Amino acid sequence: MLDVRGHGCKSLCRAAAWSENVQQETGERISSVEAMELDFQVCSRARLSRDPRFDGKFFIGVRGSGVYCRSICPAPTAKEKNVRYFPSAAAAAEAGFRPCLRCRPECSPGTPAWLGTPNTVSRALRLIAEGGLEDGGVESLADRLGVGSRHLRRLFVQHLGATPSAVAQTRRLHFAKKLIDETSLPMSEIALASGFGCVRRFNAAIRKVYRRTPTQIRRLSHLAGVQAENQYLFRLRYRPPYHWEGMLRFLEPRATPGVEWVENGEYVRSITWNGNHGSIAVSHDPEHHALVARVQFGDPRSLFFIVERIRAMFDLNADWSAIAPSLRVDSTLAHRVDAAPGLRVPGCWSGFELAVRAILGQQITVKGATGLAGELVRRFGQPFAVSDRVTHLFPTPQALARGDIGALGMPKARAETIRNLARAVCDGRINFDGIVAADDFLASLRSISGIGKWTADYVAMRALGEPDAFPSGDLGLVRALGVDSSSELERRSQTWRPWRAYATMYLWSDSAEARMSRKEVSSRDAGKSTSGLPAHAALRIAL
């Protein structure tokens, strides 16, 4: 396994350092990281300072105790000669270290999938989180990615210090430990929920790694509380800073009536997964650098995927210290970044839902689009009472493919676009889950009449989690930067790469155009010129 003592200047630990001088110096050193290498000095200083901004970016193996810890572990600091640094929890486990019961590595924000890794590894990690190893193992996963299984294993060892199977096994163990500590689920259900298949394998794996039985671990936990049946509470950590208010300001006006609701600092919505229904409620715990997710769902086997989806929805894996330096290079963005550090890119629960919502918003205001979305839910969504405000599930593709959407009062062309999208999902031509090649997927999406480049870029930002997705034809962005055209905007954005989605959020959040009439919409997306602008002008659609 990877022992970083004596390694060079490249570093996973991008500079979120304890002084501005160190932050700038370290950031310059690692801005062009190409391989998952850890800088010994940076990791050492992060360990000694217990800076939460490094949490999950590397793990510490302590030779004396045989455990691996997070950088913020409150245990007495070990001597430098007795520690090793690893780029991932799986790498530490492969080297023979077991998880620390005190700092609980399973609660870390996790290693950002995009940090210093090639697209193949990033996409593989996304597929593993969606169960990509469940059918066919590494060979099937490699085939989906278009590479050989041997090459995929080599890439994982090079960039994460462990094989795909080891990464998946560590994730299962961490999630099982989280369920033991934070829920009152029976061990048999935890075994199924964490993907072990049977209790015997689950017990053996926990005992081997933690040197305690699951029951003994639960006795040691002070976190598990009594929850109502089918209700679970999870604390999902992030690396500070995190701009929760900015996240809610974006989500609140776009919340679909009957499906989503934002109130008193909490986001609530109904959810569907594998044919089962439930709800989530997410709030902020700034003291512990975490979001508190309350999940109500009848099938515990889906909890792992639900938690992963919530993490993606609220962009919890992002590493602000890696993003901010690229944005601060632009003077227009610099003051926005400093005034509101930690702004994230909101994800979504369902890519299909997001795409429908974007189509509904063409050529009308955000308020009008939200009203249309609510009417769509009332007519075609399945009733599912969570509260007075959350009363339905979002309509399925099957319901919209056969529904009379034009009766809602929108233009016929727009209603037909939604129906065509729903039909494409129903017959398998478009699938929002398990996406391997983002460019191919977006090309398929744009092949539907009424869906243009802007809509596809927006879906890439929020549904695919592409950090460099950029709607360069957005009129709000053009005006916010004071440039003359989308092509000039595209040229200016090159200095923000690979974080252009985050730059977009900053410009939208501070732009008067974010509140403009949605009559300003791309002719490619809406099918005609608006506001007296030429037909080829690429303008912003309603979100």
Side-chain angles (χ1 to χ4, degrees):
M1 285 302 103
L2 181 65
D3 192 333
V4 303
R5 191 175 295 275
H7 270 241
C9 292
K10 292 181 179 179
S11 171
L12 166 65
C13 312
R14 184 145 188 181
W18 34 93
S19 75
E20 192 64 30
N21 289 337
V22 174
Q23 183 176 30
Q24 182 177 359
E25 175 189 349
T26 312
E28 291 172 354
R29 262 194 287 152
I30 59 150
S31 60
S32 61
V33 127
E34 294 177 355
M36 186 63 71
E37 296 183 16
L38 302 181
D39 185 293
F40 173 74
Q41 285 188 331
V42 174
C43 291
S44 176
R45 296 174 70 180
R47 177 178 73 92
L48 295 174
S49 68
R50 294 187 172 91
D51 193 324
R53 290 172 291 183
F54 286 92
D55 189 13
K57 293 169 70 174
F58 67 95
F59 293 85
I60 304 156
V62 183
R63 288 188 174 94
S65 62
V67 303
Y68 68 89
C69 303
R70 298 157 69 183
S71 60
I72 61 170
C73 185
T77 305
K79 294 181 179 180
E80 197 66 54
K81 66 180 181 180
N82 293 328
V83 302
R84 293 175 63 187
Y85 299 109
F86 298 91
S88 67
E94 285 285 271
F97 292 90
R98 66 183 186 278
C100 174
L101 292 175
R102 188 165 183 180
C103 68
R104 302 179 65 216
E106 70 273 6
C107 294
S108 75
T111 302
W114 33 257
L115 186 57
T117 63
N119 284 337
T120 299
V121 176
S122 299
R123 290 168 182 167
L125 287 171
R126 183 185 299 167
L127 292 175
I128 288 173
E130 296 176 1
L133 288 179
E134 299 301 321
D135 299 318
V138 177
E139 286 70 21
S140 176
L141 177 64
D143 186 59
R144 292 178 65 184
L145 293 166
V147 299
S149 58
R150 184 176 177 182
H151 180 59
L152 183 62
R153 290 187 182 94
R154 185 165 58 247
L155 285 175
F156 264 69
V157 171
Q158 177 186 351
H159 294 282
L160 295 178
T163 65
S165 297
V167 169
Q169 174 76 353
T170 300
R171 285 191 173 195
R172 283 196 295 268
L173 281 167
H174 280 187
F175 190 66
K177 174 67 161 49
K178 197 170 181 65
L179 291 176
I180 293 170
D181 283 337
E182 299 182 8
T183 76
S184 55
L185 276 175
M187 297 304 171
S188 58
E189 293 190 16
I190 291 177
L192 294 176
S194 50
F196 282 95
C198 69
V199 177
R200 194 168 95 176
R201 286 179 56 205
F202 164 72
N203 286 334
I206 293 291
R207 190 180 297 111
K208 177 181 178 181
V209 172
Y210 290 95
R211 298 186 183 176
R212 290 174 172 84
T213 66
T215 303
Q216 289 171 330
I217 292 175
R218 177 162 280 176
R219 290 198 194 105
L220 293 172
S221 172
H222 301 292
L223 299 177
V226 177
Q227 301 287 332
E229 185 178 3
N230 298 330
Q231 293 187 11
Y232 314 94
L233 185 147
F234 299 99
R235 294 187 183 276
L236 309 179
R237 266 66 175 188
Y238 58 78
R239 295 175 194 84
Y242 189 95
H243 204 307
W244 176 245
E245 293 78 12
M247 176 69 71
L248 293 188
R249 276 201 300 270
F250 185 88
L251 292 175
E252 184 174 9
R254 297 162 179 83
T256 300
V259 174
E260 304 170 281
W261 181 246
V262 177
E263 187 177 42
N264 298 326
E266 185 176 56
Y267 171 87
V268 183
R269 68 159 295 139
S270 59
I271 61 173
T272 298
W273 191 272
N274 286 341
N276 296 303
H277 313 313
S279 65
I280 59 173
V282 183
S283 57
H284 191 206
D285 180 5
E287 181 180 353
H288 295 96
H289 305 308
L291 298 188
V292 178
R294 301 178 186 276
V295 179
Q296 182 169 352
F297 205 78
D299 182 7
R301 293 172 297 179
S302 299
L303 288 176
F304 176 81
F305 302 101
I306 291 173
V307 169
E308 288 294 308
R309 184 61 59 90
I310 295 172
R311 292 194 64 87
M313 284 179 66
F314 294 95
D315 199 14
L316 296 186
N317 287 345
D319 178 11
W320 179 247
S321 65
I323 297 167
S326 295
L327 303 187
R328 288 195 179 106
V329 168
D330 191 304
S331 58
T332 304
L333 286 175
H335 77 275
R336 291 174 167 89
V337 170
D338 292 335
L343 193 64
R344 307 296 173 97
V345 178
C348 64
W349 176 260
S350 162
F352 172 73
E353 177 182 330
L354 177 71
V356 170
R357 176 66 174 81
I359 297 167
L360 281 174
Q362 292 177 354
Q363 293 185 290
I364 58 176
T365 63
V366 168
K367 183 177 180 180
T370 300
L372 266 181
E375 184 62 26
L376 186 84
V377 166
R378 284 189 291 273
R379 292 204 184 193
F380 304 107
Q382 178 180 338
F384 183 77
V386 174
S387 66
D388 292 340
R389 298 284 188 175
V390 180
T391 58
H392 287 73
L393 301 167
F394 193 82
T396 63
Q398 292 77 10
L400 295 184
R402 60 175 180 265
D404 183 12
I405 303 174
L408 299 180
M410 70 179 73
K412 291 182 179 179
R414 200 171 309 153
E416 191 61 25
T417 297
I418 294 175
R419 274 195 296 268
N420 287 338
L421 173 64
R423 289 166 185 155
V425 173
C426 289
D427 63 24
R429 286 183 287 122
I430 290 180
N431 187 350
F432 285 90
D433 296 318
I435 297 169
V436 176
D439 290 342
D440 293 344
F441 170 80
L442 296 175
S444 297
L445 200 61
R446 290 195 299 269
S447 69
I448 296 175
S449 177
I451 296 181
K453 184 179 183 302
W454 199 101
T455 309
D457 290 336
Y458 183 61
V459 170
M461 279 179 59
R462 295 195 57 197
L464 307 189
E466 294 288 340
D468 201 39
F470 184 60
S472 58
D474 185 278
L475 181 62
L477 300 180
V478 171
R479 292 182 174 177
L481 283 175
V483 296
D484 296 328
S485 65
S486 60
S487 59
E488 186 177 348
L489 174 65
E490 181 72 35
R491 287 194 299 272
R492 177 121 172 225
S493 72
Q494 296 306 304
T495 60
W496 311 336
R497 307 193 79 162
W499 316 115
R500 295 190 297 176
Y502 294 87
T504 299
M505 293 305 302
Y506 272 102
L507 293 171
W508 279 349
S509 67
D510 198 41
S511 172
E513 278 72 26
R515 298 176 293 277
M516 290 176 59
S517 168
R518 289 320 188 251
K519 291 181 181 180
E520 297 174 337
V521 63
S522 171
S523 60
R524 298 172 187 170
D525 284 11
K528 64 179 181 179
S529 172
T530 60
S531 303
L533 294 167
H536 65 271
L539 306 177
R540 180 178 179 180
I541 69 167
L543 306 185

